[in-house]
C-alpha cells in the first residue's frame, strides 16, 4: 500500500515539475490522476478488509475513506475517460519520455 502511494506521489510530482518548468505536461497529469485515484480505491478496500467488520461499519472512518476514494475514480474525469485520452495520445504521438 505504501509503495503504491509513494508511486502516486512520484507521478504527481513529475507532472507538477513539468508544469513548474513551463514544459508540456501532455498526459503526465492524467497518468498521475489515474494511478493515484485507483491506488486510493485499492488501498482503502484493503484497509476495510484489514479492519474486518469494524472496517465496514459507519461508526469507524475507514468505510468513508473507501467511499471518498471512489469519487476520485469518477469526478474530474472517470478512469475510463483518462485511459481513453492517454491511449489516444500514445497512438497519436507514441511514447514520449518526460
Ligand atoms: C460526489 C460527486 C461530486 C461531483 N462534483 C462535481 C463538481 O463539483 N463539478 C462537476 O462538474 N461535476 C461533478 N461531479 C460529476 C462528475 O464529474 C461526473 O459524475 C463524472 O464526470 C462522470 O459523468 P457521469 O456521472 O455523467 O457518468 P457517465 O458519463 O454517464 O458515465 C458512466 C460510466 O460510463 C463510463 N463511460 C462513459 N462513456 C464512456 C466511453 N466512451 N467509453 C468507456 N466508458 C465510458 C464512465 O467512465 C462511467 O464509468 C460530481 C460527481 C459526484 C459523484
Amino acid at each position: 500500500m505504501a509503495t503504491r502511494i509513494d508511486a502516486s506521489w512520484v507521478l504527481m510530482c513529475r507532472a507538477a515539475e513539468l508544469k513548474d518548468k513551463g514544459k508540456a505536461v501532455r498526459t503526465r497529469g492524467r497518468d498521475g490522476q489515474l494511478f493515484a485515484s485507483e491506488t486510493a480505491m485499492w488501498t482503502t478496500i484493503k484497509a476495510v478488509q484489514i479492519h474486518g467488520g469494524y472496517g465496514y461499519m459507519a461508526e469507524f472512518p475507514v468505510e468513508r475513506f473507501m467511499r471518498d476514494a471512489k469519487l476520485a475514480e469518477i469526478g474530474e474525469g472517470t478512469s475510463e475517460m483518462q485511459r481513453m485520452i492517454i491511449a489516444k495520445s500514445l497512438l497519436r504521438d507514441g511514447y514520449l519520455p518526460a
Side-chain angles (χ1 to χ4, degrees), residues 71 74-81 84:
L71 175 59
I74 295 172
E76 299 285 333
T78 62
S79 295
E80 289 78 13
M81 287 303 170
M84 278 175 52

Side-chain angles (χ1 to χ4, degrees), residues 42-58:
W42 184 83
T43 302
T44 52
I45 284 174
K46 288 205 174 300
V48 167
Q49 191 68 25
I50 286 168
H51 286 80
Y54 285 125
Y56 189 76
M57 289 162 68

